PDB file of all heavy atoms in Angstrom:
ATOM      1  N   PRO B 891     -38.464 -13.172  28.027  1.00 51.00           N
ATOM      2  CA  PRO B 891     -39.701 -12.854  27.309  1.00 51.00           C
ATOM      3  C   PRO B 891     -40.899 -13.228  28.160  1.00 51.00           C
ATOM      4  O   PRO B 891     -40.814 -14.079  29.043  1.00 51.00           O
ATOM      5  CB  PRO B 891     -39.620 -13.738  26.062  1.00 51.00           C
ATOM      6  CG  PRO B 891     -38.675 -14.845  26.414  1.00 51.00           C
ATOM      7  CD  PRO B 891     -37.748 -14.304  27.448  1.00 51.00           C
ATOM      8  N   GLY B 892     -42.002 -12.574  27.901  1.00 50.00           N
ATOM      9  CA  GLY B 892     -43.204 -12.868  28.676  1.00 50.00           C
ATOM     10  C   GLY B 892     -43.587 -11.675  29.514  1.00 50.00           C
ATOM     11  O   GLY B 892     -43.225 -10.557  29.224  1.00 50.00           O
ATOM     12  N   LYS B 893     -44.307 -11.906  30.564  1.00 54.00           N
ATOM     13  CA  LYS B 893     -44.853 -10.785  31.313  1.00 54.00           C
ATOM     14  C   LYS B 893     -43.796 -10.023  32.101  1.00 54.00           C
ATOM     15  O   LYS B 893     -44.023  -8.899  32.512  1.00 54.00           O
ATOM     16  CB  LYS B 893     -45.979 -11.268  32.250  1.00 54.00           C
ATOM     17  CG  LYS B 893     -45.532 -12.225  33.332  1.00 54.00           C
ATOM     18  CD  LYS B 893     -46.701 -12.631  34.216  1.00 54.00           C
ATOM     19  CE  LYS B 893     -46.245 -13.650  35.258  1.00 54.00           C
ATOM     20  NZ  LYS B 893     -47.273 -14.578  35.656  1.00 54.00           N
ATOM     21  N   ASN B 894     -42.608 -10.631  32.274  1.00 62.00           N
ATOM     22  CA  ASN B 894     -41.537  -9.911  32.958  1.00 62.00           C
ATOM     23  C   ASN B 894     -41.028  -8.731  32.135  1.00 62.00           C
ATOM     24  O   ASN B 894     -40.518  -7.767  32.678  1.00 62.00           O
ATOM     25  CB  ASN B 894     -40.356 -10.849  33.228  1.00 62.00           C
ATOM     26  CG  ASN B 894     -40.613 -11.719  34.444  1.00 62.00           C
ATOM     27  OD1 ASN B 894     -41.688 -11.649  35.029  1.00 62.00           O
ATOM     28  ND2 ASN B 894     -39.645 -12.535  34.815  1.00 62.00           N
ATOM     29  N   ALA B 895     -41.125  -8.869  30.820  1.00 74.00           N
ATOM     30  CA  ALA B 895     -40.561  -7.858  29.946  1.00 74.00           C
ATOM     31  C   ALA B 895     -41.598  -6.784  29.636  1.00 74.00           C
ATOM     32  O   ALA B 895     -42.605  -7.049  28.996  1.00 74.00           O
ATOM     33  CB  ALA B 895     -40.061  -8.493  28.662  1.00 74.00           C
ATOM     34  N   SER B 896     -41.315  -5.561  30.086  1.00 90.00           N
ATOM     35  CA  SER B 896     -42.196  -4.452  29.741  1.00 90.00           C
ATOM     36  C   SER B 896     -41.964  -4.068  28.290  1.00 90.00           C
ATOM     37  O   SER B 896     -41.013  -4.516  27.659  1.00 90.00           O
ATOM     38  CB  SER B 896     -41.903  -3.266  30.651  1.00 90.00           C
ATOM     39  OG  SER B 896     -40.638  -2.727  30.315  1.00 90.00           O
ATOM     40  N   LYS B 897     -42.837  -3.226  27.780  1.00 95.00           N
ATOM     41  CA  LYS B 897     -42.667  -2.752  26.401  1.00 95.00           C
ATOM     42  C   LYS B 897     -41.322  -2.049  26.231  1.00 95.00           C
ATOM     43  O   LYS B 897     -40.660  -2.185  25.224  1.00 95.00           O
ATOM     44  CB  LYS B 897     -43.813  -1.778  26.063  1.00 95.00           C
ATOM     45  CG  LYS B 897     -44.072  -1.657  24.583  1.00 95.00           C
ATOM     46  CD  LYS B 897     -45.007  -2.757  24.110  1.00 95.00           C
ATOM     47  CE  LYS B 897     -45.220  -2.750  22.624  1.00 95.00           C
ATOM     48  NZ  LYS B 897     -46.322  -3.633  22.222  1.00 95.00           N
ATOM     49  N   LYS B 898     -40.994  -1.283  27.248  1.00 96.00           N
ATOM     50  CA  LYS B 898     -39.702  -0.593  27.223  1.00 96.00           C
ATOM     51  C   LYS B 898     -38.551  -1.583  27.082  1.00 96.00           C
ATOM     52  O   LYS B 898     -37.604  -1.354  26.319  1.00 96.00           O
ATOM     53  CB  LYS B 898     -39.546   0.221  28.514  1.00 96.00           C
ATOM     54  CG  LYS B 898     -38.224   0.947  28.668  1.00 96.00           C
ATOM     55  CD  LYS B 898     -38.268   2.342  28.104  1.00 96.00           C
ATOM     56  CE  LYS B 898     -36.903   2.907  27.793  1.00 96.00           C
ATOM     57  NZ  LYS B 898     -36.224   3.457  28.953  1.00 96.00           N
ATOM     58  N   ASP B 899     -38.633  -2.684  27.830  1.00 97.00           N
ATOM     59  CA  ASP B 899     -37.582  -3.701  27.732  1.00 97.00           C
ATOM     60  C   ASP B 899     -37.500  -4.282  26.334  1.00 97.00           C
ATOM     61  O   ASP B 899     -36.413  -4.508  25.801  1.00 97.00           O
ATOM     62  CB  ASP B 899     -37.836  -4.831  28.738  1.00 97.00           C
ATOM     63  CG  ASP B 899     -37.692  -4.363  30.175  1.00 97.00           C
ATOM     64  OD1 ASP B 899     -36.914  -3.413  30.398  1.00 97.00           O
ATOM     65  OD2 ASP B 899     -38.348  -4.934  31.056  1.00 97.00           O
ATOM     66  N   VAL B 900     -38.664  -4.526  25.766  1.00 97.00           N
ATOM     67  CA  VAL B 900     -38.702  -5.087  24.410  1.00 97.00           C
ATOM     68  C   VAL B 900     -38.046  -4.113  23.431  1.00 97.00           C
ATOM     69  O   VAL B 900     -37.238  -4.511  22.589  1.00 97.00           O
ATOM     70  CB  VAL B 900     -40.148  -5.385  23.969  1.00 97.00           C
ATOM     71  CG1 VAL B 900     -40.192  -5.789  22.501  1.00 97.00           C
ATOM     72  CG2 VAL B 900     -40.754  -6.469  24.846  1.00 97.00           C
ATOM     73  N   ILE B 901     -38.391  -2.854  23.571  1.00 98.00           N
ATOM     74  CA  ILE B 901     -37.804  -1.846  22.683  1.00 98.00           C
ATOM     75  C   ILE B 901     -36.290  -1.799  22.838  1.00 98.00           C
ATOM     76  O   ILE B 901     -35.545  -1.807  21.861  1.00 98.00           O
ATOM     77  CB  ILE B 901     -38.414  -0.454  22.969  1.00 98.00           C
ATOM     78  CG1 ILE B 901     -39.900  -0.442  22.595  1.00 98.00           C
ATOM     79  CG2 ILE B 901     -37.668   0.632  22.200  1.00 98.00           C
ATOM     80  CD1 ILE B 901     -40.637   0.816  23.021  1.00 98.00           C
ATOM     81  N   ASN B 902     -35.820  -1.793  24.078  1.00 98.00           N
ATOM     82  CA  ASN B 902     -34.381  -1.755  24.317  1.00 98.00           C
ATOM     83  C   ASN B 902     -33.670  -2.953  23.692  1.00 98.00           C
ATOM     84  O   ASN B 902     -32.604  -2.808  23.099  1.00 98.00           O
ATOM     85  CB  ASN B 902     -34.095  -1.735  25.828  1.00 98.00           C
ATOM     86  CG  ASN B 902     -34.172  -0.331  26.399  1.00 98.00           C
ATOM     87  OD1 ASN B 902     -33.858   0.643  25.728  1.00 98.00           O
ATOM     88  ND2 ASN B 902     -34.600  -0.231  27.648  1.00 98.00           N
ATOM     89  N   GLN B 903     -34.271  -4.103  23.840  1.00 98.00           N
ATOM     90  CA  GLN B 903     -33.628  -5.321  23.344  1.00 98.00           C
ATOM     91  C   GLN B 903     -33.605  -5.350  21.819  1.00 98.00           C
ATOM     92  O   GLN B 903     -32.589  -5.677  21.206  1.00 98.00           O
ATOM     93  CB  GLN B 903     -34.378  -6.533  23.913  1.00 98.00           C
ATOM     94  CG  GLN B 903     -33.799  -7.867  23.494  1.00 98.00           C
ATOM     95  CD  GLN B 903     -34.878  -8.809  22.993  1.00 98.00           C
ATOM     96  OE1 GLN B 903     -35.755  -8.407  22.218  1.00 98.00           O
ATOM     97  NE2 GLN B 903     -34.820 -10.046  23.452  1.00 98.00           N
ATOM     98  N   LYS B 904     -34.732  -4.973  21.227  1.00 98.00           N
ATOM     99  CA  LYS B 904     -34.785  -4.941  19.758  1.00 98.00           C
ATOM    100  C   LYS B 904     -33.832  -3.875  19.208  1.00 98.00           C
ATOM    101  O   LYS B 904     -33.252  -4.037  18.135  1.00 98.00           O
ATOM    102  CB  LYS B 904     -36.215  -4.641  19.280  1.00 98.00           C
ATOM    103  CG  LYS B 904     -37.239  -5.691  19.675  1.00 98.00           C
ATOM    104  CD  LYS B 904     -37.145  -6.924  18.810  1.00 98.00           C
ATOM    105  CE  LYS B 904     -38.319  -7.881  19.095  1.00 98.00           C
ATOM    106  NZ  LYS B 904     -38.155  -9.157  18.358  1.00 98.00           N
ATOM    107  N   ALA B 905     -33.718  -2.786  19.941  1.00 98.00           N
ATOM    108  CA  ALA B 905     -32.813  -1.714  19.510  1.00 98.00           C
ATOM    109  C   ALA B 905     -31.369  -2.206  19.497  1.00 98.00           C
ATOM    110  O   ALA B 905     -30.615  -1.904  18.571  1.00 98.00           O
ATOM    111  CB  ALA B 905     -32.956  -0.501  20.427  1.00 98.00           C
ATOM    112  N   ALA B 906     -30.999  -2.992  20.510  1.00 98.00           N
ATOM    113  CA  ALA B 906     -29.628  -3.511  20.561  1.00 98.00           C
ATOM    114  C   ALA B 906     -29.347  -4.392  19.351  1.00 98.00           C
ATOM    115  O   ALA B 906     -28.294  -4.279  18.714  1.00 98.00           O
ATOM    116  CB  ALA B 906     -29.408  -4.294  21.857  1.00 98.00           C
ATOM    117  N   VAL B 907     -30.291  -5.240  19.016  1.00 98.00           N
ATOM    118  CA  VAL B 907     -30.102  -6.118  17.848  1.00 98.00           C
ATOM    119  C   VAL B 907     -29.984  -5.287  16.576  1.00 98.00           C
ATOM    120  O   VAL B 907     -29.088  -5.490  15.751  1.00 98.00           O
ATOM    121  CB  VAL B 907     -31.276  -7.116  17.724  1.00 98.00           C
ATOM    122  CG1 VAL B 907     -31.131  -7.950  16.449  1.00 98.00           C
ATOM    123  CG2 VAL B 907     -31.358  -8.005  18.960  1.00 98.00           C
TER     124      VAL B 907
END
Side-chain angles (χ1 to χ4, degrees):
Chain B
K893 64 179 177 210
N894 280 3
S896 70
K897 203 85 184 192
K898 177 91 200 278
D899 293 332
V900 172
I901 294 172
N902 276 328
Q903 181 228 45
K904 297 283 188 186
V907 176

